[in-house]
């Protein structure tokens, strides 16, 4: 397996394990189970059950501070994804698309200029200078 596919498999397993601790788990589980089931003989519901078991094992390991078991869980799914790509090299594009879907895009903050000026009375309190504070969704109002 070439370096690009190895990196893709590693990213896939890392994303999967990260998603195990999120509210988006059921969607992630179903998408990954379908991806893996298409490249193996397992039924998607059987793969989903395995993923749920891995999630429970990971949660217990993290609660107990057992990083070795947590790493083993990630390694197991990295191997499963690697086998899927070896069985179907064309699946790499689907795995990339799946990772793009599951990994939230982080946008760079917009940089602008902010300036404050104070005059008159001395201010003896906290001043916060920011581009925006709180939600940017103001129902269309700004």
């Amino acid at each position: 397996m070439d370096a690009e596919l190895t990196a893709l498999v590693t990213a896939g397993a890392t994303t999967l394990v990260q998603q195990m601790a999120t509210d988006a788990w059921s969607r992630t589980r179903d998408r990954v189970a379908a991806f893996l089931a298409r490249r193996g003989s397992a039924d998607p519901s059987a793969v989903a059950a395995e993923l749920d078991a891995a999630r429970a094992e990971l949660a217990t390991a993290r609660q107990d501070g057992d990083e070795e078991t947590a790493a083993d869980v990630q390694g197991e799914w990295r191997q499963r994804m690697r086998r899927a790509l070896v069985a179907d090299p064309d699946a790499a594009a689907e795995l990339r698309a799946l990772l793009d879907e599951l990994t939230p895009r982080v946008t760079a903050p917009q940089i602008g200029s902010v300036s404050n000026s104070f005059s008159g009375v001395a201010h003896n309190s906290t001043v916060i200078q920011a581009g925006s504070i709180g939600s940017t969704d103001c129902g269309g109002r700004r």
Side-chain angles (χ1 to χ4, degrees):
M1 182 173 276
D2 69 19
E4 181 181 347
L5 290 182
T6 299
L8 178 61
V9 165
T10 300
T14 300
T15 299
L16 175 63
V17 168
Q18 289 171 344
Q19 291 290 312
M20 286 180 176
T22 69
D23 293 337
W25 170 243
S26 62
R27 182 176 69 94
T28 300
R29 178 200 56 221
D30 294 345
R31 297 281 288 125
V32 171
F35 171 80
L36 291 172
R38 281 192 293 276
R39 279 137 195 102
S41 58
D43 173 31
S45 61
V47 177
E50 291 178 63
L51 285 164
D52 281 334
R55 181 185 192 212
E57 183 179 9
L58 180 68
T60 300
R62 287 189 171 158
Q63 184 177 9
D64 296 343
D66 183 358
E67 291 304 316
E68 184 176 338
T69 298
D72 288 347
V73 169
Q74 183 171 337
E76 175 184 346
W77 291 100
R78 182 175 47 248
Q79 289 298 337
R80 296 277 297 265
M81 288 183 184
R82 185 186 73 72
R83 285 193 297 272
L85 292 185
V86 167
D88 181 6
D90 295 332
E94 185 181 346
L95 182 55
R96 281 187 196 95
L98 178 59
L99 291 178
D100 286 344
E101 178 185 323
L102 298 176
T103 307
R105 292 282 176 214
V106 178
T107 57
Q110 294 184 355
I111 300 174
S113 62
V114 177
S115 63
N116 288 320
S117 64
F118 297 95
S119 63
V121 182
H123 296 279
N124 295 317
S125 63
T126 303
V127 175
I128 299 173
Q129 180 173 328
S132 69
I133 298 175
S135 174
T136 57
D137 179 18
C138 301
R141 299 178 311 257
R142 289 193 174 215

